[in-house]
Each structure stands twice: as structure tokens, then as C-alpha cells.
Amino acid sequence: MASEKNNHHRSIPDINGTHPTPKKPKLSSSSNFITASEIQSEFSHHDSAVSRINNGSFGSCPSSILSAQQQWQLKYLRQPDHFYFNHLKPAINNSRSIIQNLVNAKDINEISIVDNATTAAAIVLQHTAWCFREGKFNKGDVVVMLHYAYGAVKKSMEAYVTRAGGKVIEVPLPFPVSSNDEIVTEFRKALEKGKVDGKKIRLAVIDHVTSMPCVVIPVKELIQICREEGVEQVFVDAAHSIGCTDVDMQDIGADFYTSNLHKWFFCPPSIAFLYTKKNPKTGGGGDLHHPVVSHEYGNGLAVESAWIGTRDYSAQLVVPEALEFVNRFEGGIEGIKKRNHEAVIEMGEMLVKAWGTHLGSPKHMCASMVMVGLPTCFGVRSDSDALTLRTHLRDVFGVEVPIYYRPPRDGEVDPVTGYARISYQVYNKVEDYYKFRDAVNQLVDNGFACTLLSK
Amino acid sequence: MDNHDDPRNGTVQPDSKKPKLTHPISSHELLHEFSHHQTAVARINNGSFGSCPRSILTAQTTWQLRFLQQPDDFFFNTLRNGILDSRKIIKNLINADDVEEISLIDNATTAAAIVLQQIGHHFSSGKFCRNDTVIIFHCAYQAVKKSIEAYVIPVGGSVIEVELPFPVNSNEEIIAEFKKGIERGKINGGRVRLAIIDHITSMPSVVIPVRELIRVCRENEVDQVFVDGAHALGSMEVDVKEIGADFYVSNLYKWFFSPPSVAFMYCNKNKKLNDVHHPVVAHEYGNGLPAESAWVGMRDYSPQLVVPSIMEFVNRFEGGIEGIMKRNHNMVVKMGVMLKEAWGTNLGSPPEMCASMIMIGLPSKIRVMSDDDALRLRFYLRVYHAIEVPVYYQALGNGERDARDKDGFITGYVRISHQVYNIVDDYNRLKTAIIQLLQDGKICSELPKE
């Protein structure tokens, strides 16, 4: 497709007087899916010297969507007042409408667009803090979260919930993990703990796919348990989910649900949605507010989030293009998810076989990422070791992969304490993982240990 | 005159390594720098959304591409230092003591949330008492007012609004009103806990005598002073030590040529303001506002990284940013005077109370009688004359302050801006469009609504 090559050109075109029409790629007919060479072209801005097997951290965005984004940016810069008054809101609503369909939300008012899951967490937890402050919740009432919750969410808990008088209970999770039951058991125990002394559990914050270590959590089951056990509301932090797992709001049944579109749904940095289930009794969305207050305060979270002061909103406007992009693949986003999943498991199994280790979870508890045990001779003994190893792999071998330190448990003999979280996205190739395999093998041969690198 | 490396050729150094140009920017180069602006539009509203020249957009694109090429490497090895470089430049520009006093955030709206969330905590904790107050100007930016509604009112705080005299003739008029407001706050032993003072108000636009007002605040034991200088950087001198505020914010994308969007927030370290946090909490929580603001989750931070390139850009002008400010001021006053004489109206404030924007009275015959009328006129000018200029409705009722022209009371004003890309013809077109309306006998309420 010739138009794709033009989309790499990132200098600003001279457009004077004429309204720029975005270069739209032709839609694929069923016999004309995107080819391997086109995929390579779409991601040719990735550093070709790097085995980029960490899509999970920062995601990826194809050239054609970057170009579409640039068109929006230029449109704004050309005449910002006109853009603000006439273009911005409809374009955001268009994105929201597509997301609503993608996630099977009943009402577009349930979909707000925010920067990222970190922001969504601040929105939900600030609301929780207000409930404590206003006396709606009693001091000592509980918020439950997973021990493997994302670091930013833990800090948000501290800043908003603990500070306002809430008690935070963490659910310890086993890792490596072999079944959903292990998670369910721990979760039930934590709920029991939360209800001690007549306290109420006001909110459960549950990851759909934990970040580190990376495991797919049985959220539907946990939410059912929450409802049975009288947990008032559930917030699912599904930062990775859209484009990586199924995201059906009716099926999952959460009160609040957030996912980033820039991780696995090919959007540029950065855009996420926050779903807030409409309360059938009050009709409201839970009275959430964006913490950056603008003149739209009080007009509903979706409207507040669509204007938080002058910003570049272009990343929020290319959801139509992202949908077009995924539909160039066989099976659309479902096809992509399926193939990513199969490939990452295949690569994971190849690696653990080569190294004599194991996967961190069974394949039904993985989506497009999997934790791969590293040879114990590396001696990963701390988070700092893990980071050192990661840096070493990047600097010396050109492999980008996050490393997780898993503290050993009592009684374990020669346990695996280091895991790599590999991702698989449409731009990855088998060679990326061979390079990683060979790098680790070489390190083993050289007698590498983390202590050698630590200062 | 685009001598930047082709970003398609792999890693590119940011612009700080470019050779310095030895001649001031030519008018041809200037035209090219803003050639992405819609031609044929008289863009005399730089104050609302600002403007960004091509060379800085290119620098921004270079940063964005570096991130996209290898985001992990960028995050671990490049981002933090890039933000620090920008913060150091800002610190020098505004005469702050310590780079730790400088945080980069999206915009002034975010700064308001930071300050007010902190004030709200003091009310919740009992440090501030019920009915202690926050004092603002009645024309404070709407987002700031809403932020007070969100963070202060629900926890027992109250607001005192100080009327901004407008049209205004001197600083003394403003100081007098402000003093009255402070007195209202002290009734019944109350305390004024926070003063939010615009450096340059938005609508109507006037330069406020912030130093004097802060002196009044200190004399009256106001706990905290937050100067909302949204327009200030790049349109007037900002010396935070001299101004003496506890918090100071200014946007860089309005008058300092950055892309949307970035602002700096200054927090006076001598004030020992702890508990000032970015409301989007991430893993740097508790490490100080600069660190917190430098990572609020995955974002495009490229606007925060181009400040070195901005310095290069402004230094291509004679006199650098000071020269730009001076010329913008002189031109906007000149254009303002030209318009008011053509229309037989007035200026909203004397030239010494303006920076790069000025308010000019509209002929009373046009009959701007409501905010709705003002919006209609703005829409009409945009659609029928390709002129972008905000229109302000000033209700009557100030007695001797009410301005008049030969036909009646002046209740409408335009706020014109002058930035380096503007030309005299932009303002002549406005002059003519209004005169044409008068000749056609049209009034605002007859104009089509959007």
C-alpha cells in the first residue's frame, strides 16, 4: 500500500489554506489482510537493533495511526479556537462511542476517556476518600487490593484511602501460580479479614492482568464472590486488557473498569477509558470527578475528562483509526489476541525448555504476556538485581525485557527467583526470542551472576 | 531554514547541539515558522491557545520519535534528565533559587487543582477552620472557581470574590478593592487562608499589581498566596523572588512558544509547604512535586522536553524574549489605540496595565448586551470574516465607571493579542469588520448563533 510509506514522513507538511485529509489506508477485504511486510513497515520506527519483547510496559503504535494523530495535531495548531469550539468534542465522542461498542457498555455515558489507568485509579480512589471524609464510610472500613497491584495504584491507595481513614487489606497471591483456585482462596481469606469487627468492605480493587508478576486474574469469579460477600463496589484495574484479554462489561460485571488503549490497542501515548456502571437506582455514575477540575466540573465524568485545560488531546481522537488498523488483520482484534497468546506461550515454552526453568503460570492464566523463569545461577536476590540484569540485557545484548524478582519462600531449595516477562505483539518475530534465549545462554556460559554487576 | 537532522535516520540529538544562528530571524523565516497557521485567518487571539513555531514542533517530533523507537530506554535513560534540563532553564528565567522549586505540569488548571487539593486537606484536618476563606477576583478563570467548589467548599471553606474594576484606570483602584475583600475575610475573627491572584486576568484582561497585593496579604496574615500567571511567561517579566508568592504558575504554550501543553509551577521552598501533591498519584508519590509531576503515568512528555529548543528559538529574535515582549506590548497598544480611535470607543485599561493583550471597547451601537451576544459576535467574526478574537460582555452598574461612546454605554470589548506572527492587516480587518457591521445597522442579537 503506497500510502503507508508516505505515513513514515514525520516532518510537518506545508498545508496552507487547504484542509488536510488524513491519508486513510484502504480497508482490507477478506482476501487482502495486512501482510508481514506491511506490518514491518508499520513498525519500522521501532529500533531494529532491539529485541523488543516488552510490549506490556509502553505498548506500541503503528505509523498509520501516528500519522492520523499528527493530522489531528496539525488541525488544532492551524486554528485552535475553531478546533476547540467545533471539532474536539465530537471527535472525543466518536472515540467514546467506538469504545462503548468494543467493551459492550450499555450507555455511552458510562465511558470516559482519560490519560491512563493511573489517572483512572486517582479518580476512583479520590471518590472513595470523599466518602470517608463525608462520613458515608466509617473510619476503618476496608478497601481490598491485590498484593501485586501496580505500584502507582498502591501509592494512590496511600494518598487517598489510608489518608482519609480507610483500611487497606492486601490479598497475598502465590507466584508461581498453577490455578485460579489458588487466587480465589486467598481472595476469600482477605474478604473475611476485611469483615472482622463489623467493618464493611467498601471497595475491592482487582487487577484483570497483574503487571509484575504477570498473571491473568479470574476477575469474573472474584467479582461474583464480592457480590456474595457484600463488598459494596468493585474497581477492575485492567490496564493491559483491551487488545489482550476479553473486555465485556456486561460479562465481567464491575462497577468501575479501566484499561489503557496505548498498550495493546495500538493507540499512541496516551489514552485509557474508565467505565463507570450506571447505577440502575440513581441513574448516576457514582459521582466520580476528574481531579483536574475545569469549567466542566459537575457535568459528569466523561464531560469533565474531555476538557482538563489546554492539552494535546490527539491521542484520544484516533480510536477510529485504531479500529481500522486491527480490522486489517484476520479476525480483527480477536484474531490478534488469539495469535499473540499462542505465540507468547510457544516462545515461553521454547525459552524455559532451553534454560531448564518453568513458566510462572499455566497458559490459561496468560494473555499476551508470560513469565519465564531465569536460570537460578543468575542469583537474582533483590529488585535492584532484577533492574541491573534488565539494564545489562538492554545495553549488552539489545534485548528489552522486564525482570521480576520473586522472593524465595521458606523451605524452598534452589528456587527460581528471577523471571522475565515476555510479551508478544504483531510486530514480534521468533528471532526476538532466540536472541533472548541466546543472550541468557551466553550469560550462563560466562558464569554471570547479578552480584558481579551490582555496585 | 530547516537544518534539523532527518528523524528517519535513527537516533537524533535534540536541538541543543545545533549551531547558533548569527543573524536575527528574517521575516521570511518567521513566516515559515508559522506557516502551519491557517492562512487568511486574522489570528488575534494568541492569548487563548497560544502558538508554536515549526522548529519547536520539529524538535518535539524528534523527542516523540525517540520515545517510540525504544520507550524503555527512553524512560530509564533520557526522560528524567530531559525534564531536569527544562526545569533548570525555567528556574533561571524566573529567578528562582532552587530547581527543586520548579515542577512541570500540563497547564495552570492542573496547578489550581494541586494548590486547592492541599488547601482542602487543611480544612479537613482542622488546621483551617470552618468559614475561613479563599479570596479571588470575580473574574478569576472559571476552572479555578470550579476547583474551589470541588476542593474547598465541601470541607467548610468559603470564598470571597473581589470585584475587578473594569474598565480600570490605575493599580490603586484594584488595590483598594482587594483591601476591602481582605477586610470582609477578617469579619468575626475569620482568617483568609489563601489568596489566588491572577498576574494577568483572562477576561477582561488586565495586568494586576501582584507585588502590592501580596504585600497586603502578608500584612493581613493570609496563609498562602497563589499567583495564577497563566499568561505571564513570555508576555511580561516574571521574577518569583521579587513577586514573593508561595505558588506561581505560568503556561509555556500561551506566550512562550511551547507545544500544547506544558506549564511550570513554582513552590517557594522557604515556605516549607509540605503536602503539595499532584492529584494523579503514581510511584513517585511523596518524593516532592517535581518528581511526582515528572511521572503521572504513561504519557507523551515531549512538550516538557523542548524548553531548550524554545530558548534557541527566542534567541533568534533581537533582544531575545525581552525583545519579543517589548515589541508585542508596543504593537498591541498601538493597534489598540488605532482601533479605539477608529471606533470612537475606549481601552479597557491604560497601556501600563497591559502586556501583550489589550481590551478595546466595541461601539455601543453593536449592542453587546449579554454573554450570548458576545459569543454570537465572536462566531460571526470567525465565520464571516475569518477573524479570531474573543469578545467580552461587561455588564453595566459601576456608576461612574461605566464607559460611554457618543451613542451610549460601552458594554462589549474585544481582547486583542499580538504575537510575533501577527501583522497590522490582522487588526485592520477587525477594524473594518466592526465598522461594516455598524454601517449595516446590525446588532449582536441579530447575528446568527452557532
Side-chain angles (χ1 to χ4, degrees):
Chain A
M1 289 188 179
S3 59
E4 300 324 308
K5 297 202 177 62
N6 290 338
N7 288 336
H8 301 312
H9 195 87
R10 304 244 337 131
S11 60
I12 301 159
D14 261 313
I15 36 157
N16 280 312
T18 49
H19 173 72
T21 37
K23 291 197 174 80
K24 288 178 131 206
K26 291 202 289 277
L27 284 175
S28 307
S29 66
S30 61
S31 59
N32 192 21
F33 294 123
I34 190 169
T35 66
S37 119
E38 282 163 352
I39 293 174
Q40 188 163 1
S41 192
E42 284 283 3
F43 293 97
S44 59
H45 52 281
H46 287 192
D47 188 341
S48 54
V50 173
S51 286
R52 186 166 163 152
I53 50 182
N54 184 24
N55 194 75
S57 282
F58 298 101
S60 48
C61 184
S63 302
S64 43
I65 295 175
L66 292 171
S67 286
Q69 182 192 19
Q70 198 180 33
Q71 299 288 3
W72 281 113
Q73 289 166 335
L74 286 169
K75 195 164 175 169
Y76 170 82
L77 294 166
R78 257 165 71 78
Q79 220 297 43
D81 299 79
H82 176 55
F83 189 90
Y84 170 76
F85 282 104
N86 299 317
H87 290 297
L88 180 60
K89 275 196 180 149
I92 289 188
N93 286 338
N94 195 14
S95 288
R96 284 170 62 209
S97 168
I98 292 174
I99 294 171
Q100 178 203 350
N101 288 330
L102 276 171
V103 307
N104 196 20
K106 284 212 178 112
D107 190 322
I108 195 174
N109 289 318
E110 294 174 324
I111 303 292
S112 305
I113 294 183
V114 297
D115 280 339
N116 44 45
T118 301
T119 306
I123 290 172
V124 175
L125 296 175
Q126 186 183 64
H127 173 254
T128 304
W130 275 122
C131 291
F132 276 103
R133 279 203 193 96
E134 288 167 359
K136 255 179 85 180
F137 296 169
N138 300 318
K139 295 260 184 288
D141 276 351
V142 167
V143 175
V144 168
M145 65 187 256
L146 305 184
H147 174 64
Y148 294 135
Y150 193 58
V153 176
K154 288 192 168 183
K155 289 287 186 181
S156 218
M157 285 283 197
E158 191 188 313
Y160 285 114
V161 175
T162 308
R163 183 177 190 153
K167 177 162 182 218
V168 178
I169 289 182
E170 288 192 8
V171 181
L173 290 183
F175 183 80
V177 66
S178 42
S179 75
N180 285 336
D181 288 338
E182 295 177 42
I183 295 176
V184 169
T185 304
E186 288 296 340
F187 191 75
R188 281 192 186 280
K189 276 199 275 187
L191 291 191
E192 285 313 307
K193 223 170 123 190
K195 285 154 69 170
V196 138
D197 297 335
K199 294 295 179 198
K200 285 216 68 179
I201 303 178
R202 297 296 184 173
L203 180 70
V205 180
I206 308 174
D207 298 65
H208 196 155
V209 180
T210 52
S211 182
M212 276 302 220
C214 186
V215 167
V216 176
I217 302 289
V219 283
K220 198 175 157 182
E221 202 176 334
L222 295 188
I223 293 176
Q224 248 154 11
I225 295 169
C226 285
R227 304 302 182 203
E228 287 161 17
E229 298 296 323
V231 172
E232 220 166 82
Q233 287 187 318
V234 179
F235 168 38
V236 176
D237 175 3
H240 286 272
S241 287
I242 187 163
C244 176
T245 67
D246 288 340
V247 271
D248 185 325
M249 296 299 101
Q250 306 312 316
D251 188 49
I252 290 169
D255 300 289
F256 311 111
Y257 188 105
T258 185
S259 188
N260 293 319
L261 278 78
H262 54 258
K263 277 194 193 288
W264 295 95
F265 207 73
F266 304 105
C267 286
S270 63
I271 169 178
F273 74 88
L274 173 55
Y275 163 82
T276 49
K277 177 150 76 169
K278 210 156 144 185
N279 187 325
K281 289 184 222 149
T282 68
D287 200 28
L288 301 188
H289 292 284
H290 199 291
V292 178
V293 175
S294 78
H295 65 272
E296 296 282 12
Y297 180 74
N299 291 337
L301 180 65
V303 173
E304 290 184 13
S305 305
W307 187 259
I308 50 172
T310 300
R311 294 270 312 270
D312 177 357
Y313 293 90
S314 61
Q316 302 185 1
L317 307 180
V318 293
V319 178
E321 281 81 2
L323 188 59
E324 260 185 50
F325 178 77
V326 302
N327 285 335
R328 289 167 64 190
F329 290 77
E330 190 172 350
I333 191 61
E334 295 305 316
I336 292 172
K337 286 189 321 207
K338 183 156 171 282
R339 288 187 294 275
N340 281 348
H341 171 71
E342 284 164 7
V344 85
I345 296 296
E346 192 186 327
M347 295 298 103
E349 284 172 348
M350 180 272 289
L351 291 170
V352 300
K353 189 153 172 224
W355 302 335
T357 56
H358 57 256
L359 297 179
S361 60
K363 59 173 140 178
H364 71 271
M365 296 178 77
C366 300
S368 320
M369 297 179 285
V370 68
M371 302 297 284
V372 179
L374 292 166
T376 55
C377 59
F378 283 176
V380 179
R381 300 207 200 296
S382 63
D383 290 335
S384 163
D385 280 350
L387 193 57
T388 303
L389 176 55
R390 176 179 186 173
T391 306
H392 190 71
L393 284 165
R394 177 190 307 124
D395 292 347
V396 175
F397 294 96
V399 174
E400 187 60 59
V401 67
I403 309 292
Y404 171 69
Y405 163 61
R406 183 250 179 205
R409 304 250 164 97
D410 288 338
E412 286 179 340
V413 175
D414 198 28
V416 171
T417 55
Y419 288 81
R421 182 187 77 188
I422 62 168
S423 298
Y424 192 98
Q425 185 46 299
V426 298
Y427 56 80
N428 283 119
K429 295 189 161 53
V430 114
E431 287 76 25
D432 297 329
Y433 306 85
Y434 288 154
K435 197 163 157 193
F436 183 33
R437 173 199 65 189
D438 297 343
V440 168
N441 284 339
Q442 192 180 326
L443 286 172
V444 170
D445 288 345
N446 293 347
F448 171 85
C450 286
T451 46
L452 297 174
L453 284 180
S454 327
K455 292 160 193 109
Chain B
M1 186 71 185
D2 190 358
N3 56 358
H4 298 284
D5 292 340
D6 189 329
R8 289 169 295 179
N9 292 335
T11 48
V12 181
Q13 297 308 309
D15 291 342
S16 51
K17 302 232 171 82
K18 296 279 170 294
K20 283 195 172 52
L21 294 169
T22 52
H23 62 270
I25 190 168
S26 70
S27 53
H28 168 81
E29 286 162 352
L30 188 54
L31 213 65
H32 175 74
E33 285 286 0
F34 293 96
S35 56
H36 52 288
H37 286 193
Q38 190 170 357
T39 48
V41 170
R43 184 164 162 154
I44 49 183
N45 185 25
N46 195 75
S48 281
F49 298 101
S51 48
C52 184
R54 277 179 178 264
S55 41
I56 293 168
L57 291 170
T58 302
Q60 182 191 21
T61 302
T62 304
W63 284 109
Q64 288 167 333
L65 209 64
R66 279 179 74 179
F67 172 82
L68 294 165
Q69 270 174 350
Q70 221 295 44
D72 299 79
D73 181 50
F74 191 88
F75 172 76
F76 282 105
N77 298 321
T78 307
L79 178 61
R80 196 53 72 78
N81 286 336
I83 291 182
L84 184 60
D85 285 345
S86 290
R87 286 166 57 211
K88 284 178 179 163
I89 290 173
I90 302 284
K91 165 200 164 272
N92 290 333
L93 272 174
I94 65 171
N95 193 27
D97 274 334
D98 192 331
V99 74
E100 284 310 307
E101 296 177 302
I102 309 294
S103 305
L104 294 183
I105 55 178
D106 281 343
N107 45 42
T109 300
T110 307
I114 291 172
V115 174
L116 290 164
Q117 193 182 52
Q118 171 250 168
I119 293 282
H121 280 142
H122 290 320
F123 276 97
S124 298
S125 68
K127 186 169 166 215
F128 295 169
C129 309
R130 232 185 149 71
N131 293 322
D132 280 350
T133 51
V134 175
I135 190 169
I136 62 173
F137 281 101
H138 86 280
C139 59
Y141 197 59
Q142 185 65 355
V144 174
K145 290 186 167 183
K146 288 291 186 180
S147 220
I148 294 172
E149 194 185 312
Y151 287 115
V152 174
I153 306 294
V155 286
S158 305
V159 181
I160 293 171
E161 290 198 4
V162 173
E163 197 70 23
L164 180 78
F166 187 81
V168 68
N169 300 307
S170 71
N171 285 337
E172 282 64 40
E173 293 174 19
I174 297 176
I175 297 167
E177 280 302 315
F178 190 77
K179 281 183 173 165
K180 280 197 263 176
I182 294 274
E183 288 310 313
R184 281 185 354 242
K186 288 160 75 175
I187 290 172
N188 298 330
R191 290 282 304 266
V192 177
R193 296 296 188 175
L194 173 71
I196 302 180
I197 305 175
D198 301 70
H199 202 158
I200 304 174
T201 53
S202 181
M203 273 305 219
S205 185
V206 166
V207 175
I208 301 288
V210 288
R211 287 168 197 73
E212 288 84 345
L213 295 188
I214 293 179
R215 253 203 307 274
V216 170
C217 289
R218 302 305 184 201
E219 285 162 11
N220 287 278
E221 296 178 320
V222 172
D223 281 62
Q224 296 181 11
V225 179
F226 168 37
V227 174
D228 178 0
H231 286 271
L233 191 71
S235 84
M236 54 188 299
E237 198 203 333
V238 178
D239 182 328
V240 289
K241 288 224 288 274
E242 205 211 345
I243 289 169
D246 303 303
F247 302 105
Y248 191 106
V249 67
S250 187
N251 292 319
L252 276 72
Y253 63 82
K254 277 193 193 284
W255 294 96
F256 204 65
F257 303 108
S258 89
S261 69
V262 57
F264 78 83
M265 184 161 170
Y266 161 82
C267 303
N268 188 335
K269 69 173 182 198
N270 294 323
K271 200 59 191 259
K272 296 194 196 331
L273 306 146
N274 37 22
D275 210 28
V276 176
H277 296 285
H278 197 293
V280 176
V281 176
H283 65 273
E284 294 283 3
Y285 179 73
N287 292 339
L289 187 64
E292 291 184 14
S293 305
W295 188 259
V296 288
M298 164 76 160
R299 294 274 312 273
D300 176 359
Y301 291 89
S302 62
Q304 298 189 7
L305 302 171
V306 297
V307 178
S309 302
I310 295 175
M311 290 314 295
E312 271 188 37
F313 177 75
V314 301
N315 287 332
R316 288 166 67 189
F317 290 77
E318 197 169 335
I321 190 62
E322 275 99 32
I324 292 172
M325 294 194 300
K326 187 155 165 276
R327 287 185 295 273
N328 278 344
H329 172 72
N330 290 340
M331 278 308 292
V332 87
V333 169
K334 191 169 165 189
M335 294 298 101
V337 168
M338 182 271 287
L339 288 168
K340 83 141 170 133
E341 281 172 3
W343 298 337
T345 56
N346 63 336
L347 296 178
S349 63
E352 61 272 14
M353 294 179 77
C354 302
S356 317
M357 298 183 291
I358 194 166
M359 306 290 288
I360 305 138
L362 286 162
S364 61
K365 264 187 155 174
I366 284 188
R367 296 188 43 82
V368 178
M369 304 306 291
S370 64
D371 290 332
D372 187 64
D373 283 349
L375 272 175
R376 283 175 193 255
L377 179 56
R378 180 176 187 173
F379 170 72
Y380 167 80
L381 288 167
R382 178 188 304 130
V383 174
Y384 291 90
H385 290 278
I387 297 171
E388 189 60 56
V389 68
V391 182
Y392 171 69
Y393 162 61
Q394 169 69 48
L396 289 176
N398 283 327
E400 74 261 6
R401 187 174 302 288
D402 292 335
R404 302 185 58 117
D405 62 8
K406 62 176 169 47
D407 298 308
F409 288 106
I410 292 172
T411 53
Y413 290 78
V414 285
R415 182 186 79 186
I416 62 168
S417 299
H418 188 282
Q419 185 47 299
V420 297
Y421 55 79
N422 285 119
I423 54 178
V424 171
D425 191 54
D426 294 336
Y427 308 89
N428 282 332
R429 284 168 58 183
L430 177 61
K431 174 186 77 176
T432 308
I434 296 296
I435 289 172
Q436 188 67 52
L437 267 181
L438 287 174
Q439 285 172 352
D440 294 345
K442 290 236 180 75
I443 61 171
C444 283
S445 53
E446 291 167 358
L447 295 173
K449 191 154 185 173
E450 203 142 8

